[in-house]
Amino acid sequence: MIVEGREYTVPGLRYVIRSAKPEDAEALSDVRLQIDGETENMDREKGEAYIDAEGFEEIIKTDSDSPVNLFLVAETNGRIAGFSRCEGNNLKRTSHRVEFGVGVLKEFWGHGIGKNLLQESILWADSNQLRKITLSVLETNENAIKLYKKLGFEVEGVLKDDKRLSDGNYYHTIVMGRIQKLVDQ
């Protein structure tokens, strides 16, 4: 689905959160690759499950045409600083929920980009009668967990020893969800 863009101004940075466009595909491929190399909070190491520009073009087209998918980018001065994606499906039993994922370039951390991408996604989901948003977060990502809880997400489960990081240790993945209380139910 395509949504209207919204501008944000914070100390030292001005950016727009908007729906991804096909012309963003090449930059998104580069940004995703860079983010994967900047933090161990992602599922992938740099270069794993690489998506090229053509792959992103397909994802953007699919998401733009789907009422249960949303692909957002945060753009500052013509440059993509981060992105998020909500992916749903059309199966009757699970069509009420979407899964959220986000990535922000490290140089833009601390400007509320991840929080605003999530808030825009929540607003979209609530406006489109999508009752539940789910996400997964590494147990060591305490700032993200605090933010998710602040925005109404609850811990739904723990995947024990789910990821092995560069230190050789295994870490848990926290599964979280936010359920919108719909008025008509």
Side-chain angles (χ1 to χ4, degrees):
M1 179 170 277
I2 296 175
V3 297
E4 194 74 28
R6 186 178 312 218
E7 190 171 301
Y8 293 86
T9 302
V10 296
L13 189 67
R14 178 187 227 160
Y15 58 93
V16 173
I17 292 180
R18 60 169 175 77
S19 289
K21 301 180 220 173
E23 52 268 27
D24 297 324
E26 187 171 334
L28 281 164
S29 181
D30 295 340
V31 166
R32 182 176 182 261
L33 185 65
Q34 183 176 339
I35 290 170
D36 287 349
E38 291 180 333
T39 178
E40 289 192 299
N41 291 330
M42 307 307 280
D43 288 341
R44 305 160 302 273
E45 289 189 11
K46 187 173 184 172
E48 289 184 321
Y50 176 75
I51 301 174
D52 62 12
E54 291 78 25
F56 269 105
E57 282 181 31
E58 287 180 35
I59 293 168
I60 292 165
K61 180 175 177 3
T62 298
D63 290 355
S64 296
D65 293 342
S66 172
V68 293
N69 289 5
L70 180 68
F71 196 153
L72 298 175
V73 298
E75 180 183 21
T76 180
N77 296 320
R79 183 172 171 218
I80 294 179
F83 63 90
S84 68
R85 190 161 178 251
C86 288
E87 184 176 18
N89 66 68
N90 294 315
L91 300 174
K92 287 184 181 179
R93 293 181 181 171
T94 57
S95 62
H96 65 284
R97 74 169 191 236
V98 295
E99 185 167 349
F100 173 82
V102 64
V104 177
L105 289 169
K106 195 171 192 172
E107 70 183 276
F108 294 104
W109 290 2
H111 294 284
I113 292 174
K115 176 180 89 169
N116 288 325
L117 284 164
L118 178 54
Q119 287 179 313
E120 290 290 336
S121 298
I122 290 170
L123 180 64
W124 165 78
D126 288 354
S127 299
N128 288 280
Q129 304 302 303
L130 293 164
R131 188 162 190 259
K132 184 174 184 177
I133 301 175
T134 62
L135 57 85
S136 299
V137 59
L138 197 61
E139 69 175 313
T140 56
N141 195 347
E142 295 172 5
N143 289 338
I145 294 168
K146 278 189 230 170
L147 172 65
Y148 298 146
K149 286 181 178 179
K150 183 179 175 184
L151 295 178
F153 286 80
E154 298 177 16
V155 173
E156 294 189 336
V158 176
L159 304 175
K160 296 181 179 182
D161 289 352
D162 191 51
K163 295 199 175 63
R164 188 175 69 200
L165 300 185
S166 62
D167 63 6
N169 294 316
Y170 291 89
Y171 294 88
H172 303 336
T173 296
I174 311 295
V175 178
M176 301 182 79
R178 176 191 177 272
I179 298 175
Q180 175 194 19
K181 307 297 185 222
L182 299 176
V183 180
D184 61 343
Q185 293 189 354

